[in-house]
Amino acid sequence: MKRTIIIFSLFLLFIGIYNYPIFFGKNPVKHIFKEGIFEYSNESRIDGILKEYISKEIYQIDLRRLKNEIEEDLWIRNAQIILNPPDEIIVKISEFKPLFLWNNTSYVDEEGFFIESGKHPIKNILEISSNQDDKVFMYDLYLNLKIILSTIDINIIKLSKDREMITILTSKYRFFVRHSDYESKMKEFLSVYEQFLLTQKSGKIRKNIDLRYPTGFAVQ
């Protein structure tokens, strides 16, 4: 029994001596690796923050402080800091992914979080607005319209609703339709879409299509 204890103690001593430089010696950070896609956040700012931690003792770094510094960027949802002794830090970053610009004031992501647009303009993002309905209702409306228009391969750029009136802006057309019968009127238009194309002159001018008429539609 005593022999076993001695052997085990020597083993622990050997492990301690071998790893002494890691746990008790100086371990300055030599490498910081960041992982993530930087589409909206300020990557250069993050690089500047991480650069300040090079040469610092790896076990003296305040991980929470570093995490909070990185997450001060409104576009960063989460920053995960991983120590990889003796001299490496891995930073995993995930961003908010905006789905659309709401009422021209804030971006909304897939979980419904708001990010004020302010000083963070994004080009070529879906715009949705309404003076009466909430963002969930309007996004559901967008998804339904997207399915309807997918049959003719047209993408919605902007969707707005003013009381009963819906305006749908695409790269080719601007549709006007009442919310109460938008599905039937849009499908009615699509049913004659091929014939409609035959009557139109080629050109890049966006056409206004008014679907509010009891029968048929008007084109301008």
Side-chain angles (χ1 to χ4, degrees), residues 28-33 54-55 58 84 87-90:
V29 175
K30 295 180 180 179
H31 308 285
I32 299 180
F33 302 100
I54 294 292
S55 299
I58 194 167
N84 187 25
D87 56 13
E88 293 180 356
I89 295 177
I90 300 171

Side-chain angles (χ1 to χ4, degrees), residues 73-138:
D73 189 313
L74 294 177
W75 285 111
I76 295 179
R77 178 189 293 278
N78 180 60
Q80 182 183 6
I81 316 299
I82 302 171
L83 297 185
N84 187 25
D87 56 13
E88 293 180 356
I89 295 177
I90 300 171
V91 180
K92 296 184 177 182
I93 294 173
S94 59
E95 289 186 329
F96 287 99
K97 300 298 181 183
L99 293 176
F100 58 92
L101 175 63
W102 172 245
N103 277 343
N104 205 35
T105 59
S106 57
Y107 300 107
V108 180
D109 75 351
E110 60 186 5
E111 295 185 17
F113 288 106
F114 284 92
I115 302 171
E116 292 189 10
S117 55
K119 299 179 181 179
H120 306 277
I122 297 176
K123 295 181 179 179
N124 303 321
I125 189 169
L126 170 67
E127 297 181 36
I128 299 178
S129 62
S130 175
N131 60 1
Q132 191 175 25
D133 303 287
D134 63 26
K135 65 181 187 299
V136 176
F137 175 90
M138 288 299 296

